[in-house]
Each structure stands twice: as C-alpha cells, then as structure tokens.
Amino acid sequence: MLYGELVKVYEALESTSGRLEMTDILAKFFQMADCESLRKIVYLTQGQLYPDFYPQKLGLADKLLLKTIASTSGTNEKNVHELWLKEGDPGTVSERIFEEKRQTTLFSETLTLNRVYEALQRITEAEGSGSQHQKMRLLSDVLHDATPREAKYIARIVTGKMRLGVADMTVIDALSQAFATKEDRDVVERAFNVSSDLGKVGERLCRNGIEGIKEMKVEIGNPIRAMLAERLPSPFEILERMGGRAAFEYKYDGVRVQAHIEGKEITLFSRRLEDLTSQFPDVVKALRSAFRSKSGILEGECVPVDINTGEMLPFQEVSHRRGRKHDLTSAIEEYPVRIFLFDCLHLDGEDLTNKPLLERRRALESCVQTTDEVRTSEMRIVDKIEDADAFFQEALRDGCEGLMAKSVADDSVYRAGSRGFLWIKYKKEYKSEMTDTVDLVVVGAFAGRGRRKGVYGALLMATYNGEEDTFETVCKLGSGFDDQTLASLPSKLEVSRLSEKHPKVHSKLEADFWFEPSMVIEVLGAEITISPIHTCAYSRIRKDAGLAIRFPRFTGRFRDDKGPREATTTAELETMYKNQLKKVDG
Ligand code: AMP
C-alpha cells in the first residue's frame, strides 16, 4: 500500500469533526486495506507504532526534526526555525518547506506504507552514541522521497504530535462497520478490552471475521483494560443495588497494578497500561515467591508502608519512586510497598474474566501463598447495613480510604475497560483533619531501620489519663523530625531511660527503649481512629480497642513548658474523637 493513500484519509479526517463521518471514512479505508497493513494503519492513525502499552514511543525532539528538514531541503536552518515559531506545528513547517523546494528534488521514489513504518521503527529504536545522527539520517531518507503532503504527516507522527482526534471508540466503530454488523460491536469492544491492542483486533477481524475475535482470550503480556467502579453514597443504596448481598473489600489507597506472571517472568502494568516493572522490583521479587502456579494475571493495589511504624501511608508516598531510576534502591528502602491482591483474571492457561467474582477469588487464594509483602484484600460478605458500617470503620482505622463493594451474583464477571455497578466504591468524602494539635508524652522508642539506622525510628506517644494517673499510648510518631532533631533525641532522652516499661505506662506494644514519662511534644495528626493496638480510652468506645492518631507528625515544638501530667488527656482525646464523628456523619 502506498503511504499517499493513508495521507488522503488523514486529510479527509482532518476536514471533519463529526464522529459518524470519521467512522465512515475509516471503515471504507479499512475495507480496502490488506490485513497486515491494516494493523499498521490502526496504530499510525492514532499517532503510534504499537499498542499503548509498548514502551517504545514516538517523540523525536522538534529541534532535530527542524534540522533534518533544513538539511534535506537545502534550506537555511534559521528560516526553518522562524517558520516554526510562526506556525507552531511541525507538520505545516515541513509541508511548506518541501513545497518550496519541490522543483529541486531530483530523485523521488514513491513512498510505501511499509517503508514509512519501518523508518519510524528504526528512528524510535536508535539509541546510544551517534543515535541523533542516525535518527536524522533515517528521517532525511524518507523525507527526501515524500511529497509535501506526506512530509506534513511524517513530521507530525515522528515528533509524537499526530493529533487527528481519532479515539479508540471511533476505531472500534469503524472496524465493526467494516468487518461485522452493528450487533457485533460489543464483541469487538470486548476483544479490545481484553487485549488493549486495537491493531491486533483489526488484523484478526480482517483475516477471520467476527468469529476470529469472539475467541480472543486474555493473554499474558497483553494488559487487560481495568474494570472500574461506580459510586454510591451509602451501604443501604449499595446493598439495594446489589440484591441485598455483596462482597465488601477494603479500598486501599495506592497504585493499581496488574501482574502478568509466566514462570519467573513478571511484568507489572499500571491502570493506564504503562509498564511499571522497573519501578517495583521489590514487588516483582515478592510476587515471585508468593505465586504458586505456573502462569497467571493478578490484580492488586500497591500501598506504601512506614518501615518504622508499619502503618499504611498516603498514596503520595509511592510517587516518590517515580522518576527515581538512579536512586531506586534507597526509595525502596524508604518507601517499601505491600501489594494487596484482589483479583485473578487468568490462571495456568485459563481465562477467568468471564467467571463470577467468588470463583476468581477462590482461584486467587489457591495460587498465592500470602507473605508479609503479598496479601489478599481484606474481604467480607455482607448482607446487613450495620455490618457494612462496622467494616467501613475498620477500613478507615487501618488506613484505607473506604470500601469497594463487589457483586457476587452469577453474572459478576470481570468487565474489562468498563465502569459499572458490579463494583461500587464507597468512600466518605469528608475532611477528617484534626484541626487542633495535641501535646503527647514520650513513653518509649523503637530502633530505626533503613535511613534511620542508629537513631530512633519512631517514638511511642501517650496521652495522660487523669482519672487513673496513667499514660496511655496513642500512636507511633516517626514523621516531622529533621535529621538534626532525630540525631539529638537519644541524648535528650538518656536522662529518663528505663530498663523496662514505667509502671504508670499502659502499652500493648513492646518498645525497644522505655522512658520515664517526662518529655512532652506537640503533634498534629490526620484523624483519630479506633485501634486495637493502642490503650488510650481502652474499651470505652469500642470493646477491646482504644483510640489512635493516624499520620501523626511532630510540629517541631518541644513543650518544655509542660510536665507530663499537663499533656493532652485521654478524656480530651475522647471528646475530640466524638466531635470528629459528628462531623463525619453530618
Ligand atoms: P477510584 O480510583 O476512586 O475510582 O477507585 C478505584 C480504584 O480503587 C481501583 O482502580 C483500584 O486502584 C483501587 N482499589 C483499592 N482497593 C481495591 C479493591 N479491593 N478492589 C478493587 N479496586 C481497589
């Protein structure tokens, strides 16, 4: 096929904005194309060479393109640059320059689609020393034989600026129109959703018709487009919608990951189908030892945890890992992550996406041996509103953002790429910030790990219970200290060091160091939650649980002006908790 034929289609697409008309233009062209070219046409029309999830991306620097246009056309670089400043679009610049120079082009060979595609492939693949020169040479080669109209689109695509506005859904419509009936559109869309590869879907449709893609199964290595959730504001509405019964799971606040496992080979994809493998080598390693089958596709949420307190951290902490290629090892130490698996889409050659949720869950549990780093999502089958409410409180207490309710009906399949009511998220969009700081007493400390080796990793903090004259723990405090303060703490606390826990301190946690309650410091937390591991107001609000402060931070103020019995009291914290609840419910 000639590249010029594709260029005519681009021009037709550019002169219309109506989706129906665009679909029509594309469908007619798709029908004309041979099946191998069709695959390339689909990618190129979306400004790509491969499906989205391939790491190779087009995106030659504008400067290199302009230089190549100048040298190929024999135009002064300055003139090309001026035109670019005026037009802003590499395509227009290229077209204009080559129009002017058209007469001087001596040898021109008609460009084929394959030749352009291969040149673009080689340009993207060129790496290392001398690669700039090589890219320019390859580009110059095709531009030399291009008509001005062809040069326009070559310039656009090579710089990653195709922008024809052809959405995935338009291509799906056009493919259905070209090779199937209207009724089969859903089949085409599903094939795309399980493969994330429109080029492949197009080629198969062209070769084998609709039957060819009905058989399309999920494949390891091809990310499946993520299933998404609707939202509802209350467990009442959720249960009503789900027929009175649903599986509720913790909704973790992290990064969604789809793990493709084939023996020891593991690839991690993000929700947007980017390859995340190199960012999470620790997760890959942990999955390798936890996965007990031959091959599979698992989904889960990666959540950062504080190495010193073990608490789940807000999602932003994971973002520290992005773009830190050189420093990844220390990022892994500072921000280790756990993965909470919640789905199994493929296991040992069997596509499970059409199986109901609980069957997929059983598959997940059968193939994973949970470890410290690899866990399955906390899940409970619920048919009462009160149970959903209680589970929701537990989820918040454990650092999650709410719950995810999932249908357990027979039709609760994994609906790739679509948002629907088979999954419903339930998170309260409230601000639960503690607006007031609290003054807490240091009663113990934990030895530091990672970067904090040799100093304290976290302090064990308590409120003062005035009625009992005791100190009750409320959080592990590890954030908000600068390096200097951190280094000074051991000597500051040395005077109050004890060989064992002070008799007035109530703690369920075993600290590495104990202190006589004396130092008071100011702390700001995100919210107050119920916790079974802290002793503050123990069993007063919930049986066998106390109150805890989530995400506590040292404000930088040592309250030397306060004695330990002048610290924030247990009763005060209890009142703060109740006030916060009123805000949440209101
Ligand atoms: P949202 O981003 O608010 O639309 O919520 C959907 C996201 O919640 C998913 O894409 C996952 O990344 C995340 N998530 C956390 N926990 C779960 C879970 N148990 N099941 C499914 N998704 C979860």
Side-chain angles (χ1 to χ4, degrees):
M1 171 175 283
L2 295 181
Y3 184 61
E5 292 178 59
L6 184 57
V7 164
K8 277 192 214 142
V9 173
Y10 289 164
E11 287 172 341
L13 288 172
E14 276 200 312
S15 64
T16 173
S17 57
R19 185 166 158 193
L20 286 181
E21 223 177 310
M22 279 180 142
T23 310
D24 232 34
I25 296 166
L26 282 173
K28 290 205 177 91
F29 187 60
F30 288 170
Q31 271 172 331
M32 261 179 44
D34 64 280
C35 299
E36 201 195 321
S37 301
L38 180 65
R39 186 173 188 143
K40 293 173 185 160
I41 290 167
V42 168
Y43 300 139
L44 290 175
T45 304
Q46 296 194 295
Q48 301 170 185
L49 286 178
Y50 305 105
D52 266 343
F53 61 87
Y54 273 48
Q56 299 93 326
K57 302 276 179 233
L58 285 159
L60 190 83
D62 287 339
K63 249 168 68 188
L64 269 195
L65 170 78
L66 299 179
K67 245 177 138 162
T68 316
I69 293 176
S71 65
T72 313
S73 63
T75 314
N76 187 316
E77 251 184 68
K78 200 167 140 257
N79 294 354
V80 178
H81 194 74
E82 270 168 16
L83 188 61
W84 183 69
L85 286 180
K86 197 166 132 225
E87 295 292 342
D89 165 34
T92 315
V93 175
S94 186
E95 185 177 21
R96 291 269 198 83
I97 299 279
F98 285 103
E99 250 163 17
E100 281 170 26
K101 297 286 163 176
R102 182 96 183 111
Q103 295 82 341
T104 60
T105 314
L106 292 177
F107 306 103
S108 233
E109 206 178 284
T110 320
L111 280 182
T112 60
L113 175 80
N114 277 342
R115 187 166 155 217
V116 174
Y117 188 84
E118 274 161 30
L120 292 171
Q121 271 181 317
R122 293 176 63 192
I123 291 170
T124 345
E125 279 157 18
E127 264 183 24
S129 73
S131 64
Q132 294 223 341
H133 190 72
Q134 200 186 349
K135 282 172 196 265
M136 282 176 68
R137 198 178 44 71
L138 289 161
L139 181 59
S140 175
D141 216 37
V142 270
L143 283 178
H144 182 269
D145 289 336
T147 65
R149 285 157 67 194
E150 288 168 346
K152 170 177 170 180
Y153 292 100
I154 292 171
R156 282 196 186 158
I157 196 164
V158 78
T159 48
K161 298 186 175 116
M162 198 59 178
R163 297 186 192 138
L164 285 177
V166 179
D168 291 340
M169 291 304 139
T170 311
V171 178
I172 291 173
D173 288 344
L175 287 173
S176 315
Q177 192 172 316
F179 303 107
T181 62
K182 255 199 177 136
E183 291 71 50
D184 290 325
R185 193 196 172 283
D186 284 352
V187 180
V188 181
E189 190 172 337
R190 176 176 150 84
F192 170 54
N193 284 332
V194 298
S195 67
S196 310
D197 188 343
L198 271 179
K200 186 183 200 173
V201 173
E203 187 176 343
R204 285 218 193 167
L205 257 176
C206 175
R207 287 191 198 283
N208 309 316
I210 196 75
E211 289 309 313
I213 59 160
K214 267 191 188 149
E215 298 302 306
M216 227 159 134
K217 296 255 173 359
V218 303
E219 272 175 48
I220 295 183
N222 261 49
I224 301 164
R225 297 192 354 113
M227 176 165 178
L228 303 171
E230 277 290 349
R231 70 170 75 208
L232 281 175
S234 70
F236 169 74
E237 280 157 277
I238 293 173
L239 283 173
E240 197 179 49
R241 183 98 202 188
M242 296 221 166
R245 186 165 167 268
F248 281 72
E249 291 178 24
Y250 274 15
K251 185 175 189 306
Y252 301 91
D253 187 10
V255 172
R256 184 169 184 165
V257 161
Q258 196 176 89
H260 288 237
I261 312 174
E262 180 82 72
K264 294 283 163 213
E265 258 322 286
I266 298 187
T267 312
L268 304 180
F269 292 105
S270 75
R271 170 167 163 173
R272 297 177 59 205
L273 316 182
E274 302 144 323
D275 190 331
L276 293 178
T277 319
S278 60
Q279 278 174 44
F280 293 108
D282 46 343
V283 174
V284 169
K285 196 167 154 219
L287 278 172
R288 223 172 252 148
S289 57
F291 187 69
R292 291 302 157 101
S293 291
K294 291 193 189 74
S295 62
I297 302 178
L298 310 180
E299 252 193 342
E301 189 88 352
C302 280
V303 186
V305 289
D306 186 319
I307 33 170
N308 286 302
T309 62
E311 254 188 329
M312 284 199 246
L313 291 173
F315 155 76
Q316 300 85 280
E317 301 293 332
V318 172
S319 60
H320 289 282
R321 289 181 169 227
R322 298 191 178 227
R324 280 185 64 167
K325 271 194 195 131
H326 307 297
D327 223 3
L328 193 63
T329 331
S330 65
I332 289 169
E333 264 189 27
E334 275 173 64
Y335 308 101
V337 301
R338 281 198 186 130
I339 183 163
F340 292 90
L341 296 166
F342 55 74
D343 221 317
C344 177
L345 311 179
H346 184 281
L347 190 59
D348 290 337
E350 195 186 353
D351 180 347
L352 300 177
T353 51
N354 275 327
K355 304 280 184 209
L357 176 79
L358 294 180
E359 200 173 323
R360 302 201 306 277
R361 179 78 185 194
R362 278 194 292 277
L364 175 67
E365 282 164 8
S366 75
C367 70
V368 171
Q369 169 88 54
T370 55
T371 60
D372 210 26
E373 294 91 17
V374 180
R375 311 190 175 189
T376 48
S377 60
E378 207 58 50
M379 179 194 212
R380 204 170 285 171
I381 308 282
V382 167
D383 56 10
K384 289 192 195 69
I385 296 168
E386 311 84 83
D387 293 347
D389 272 332
F391 198 40
F392 179 67
Q393 289 304 333
E394 283 174 41
L396 295 189
R397 176 203 72 194
D398 285 345
C400 294
E401 44 172 15
L403 294 175
M404 197 68 138
K406 297 183 179 176
S407 166
V408 290
D410 292 344
D411 67 351
S412 57
V413 297
Y414 187 91
R415 219 160 261 149
S418 77
R419 190 182 292 284
F421 283 97
L422 286 176
W423 286 9
I424 303 173
K425 56 189 169 188
Y426 170 46
K427 43 180 187 177
K428 284 214 168 145
E429 316 284 3
Y430 60 82
K431 285 244 180 296
S432 61
E433 279 151 29
M434 282 171 66
T435 40
D436 282 338
T437 55
V438 281
D439 300 319
L440 302 176
V441 189
V442 182
V443 295
F446 299 85
R449 294 168 56 186
R451 275 202 333 149
R452 295 213 173 155
K453 226 177 173 142
V455 292
Y456 298 140
L459 300 178
L460 183 60
M461 307 303 297
T463 52
Y464 175 60
N465 183 334
E467 289 145 41
E468 316 260 338
D469 188 32
T470 50
F471 295 89
E472 301 175 337
T473 73
V474 74
C475 64
K476 277 189 185 182
L477 175 67
S479 303
F481 297 101
D482 57 34
D483 290 348
Q484 207 184 346
T485 312
L486 213 53
S488 70
L489 281 174
S491 58
K492 265 197 174 139
L493 283 159
E494 190 52 40
V495 283
S496 35
R497 247 321 260 288
L498 300 172
S499 56
E500 54 189 47
K501 189 171 69 176
H502 190 278
K504 293 264 178 216
V505 170
H506 285 185
S507 172
K508 285 169 149 293
L509 291 170
E510 252 328 298
D512 297 319
F513 310 95
W514 292 109
F515 306 111
E516 175 169 3
S518 60
M519 183 189 277
V520 178
I521 63 180
E522 192 177 74
V523 173
L524 183 64
E527 67 181 312
I528 305 166
T529 56
I530 301 275
S531 160
I533 60 171
H534 286 291
T535 55
C536 176
Y538 201 74
S539 281
R540 288 181 54 155
I541 287 168
R542 171 108 30 101
K543 194 168 169 295
D544 301 329
L547 291 178
I549 294 175
R550 267 185 79 207
F551 305 141
R553 269 191 94 71
F554 174 47
T555 62
R557 264 184 91 189
F558 286 94
R559 296 302 306 256
D560 299 334
D561 54 326
K562 282 195 169 182
R565 289 178 174 76
E566 288 160 295
T568 301
T569 63
T570 298
E572 278 173 306
L573 207 76
E574 216 178 308
T575 311
M576 284 169 83
Y577 175 74
K578 286 179 183 152
N579 286 341
Q580 178 189 288
L581 276 194
K582 273 188 219 144
K583 253 201 290 180
V584 172
D585 290 342

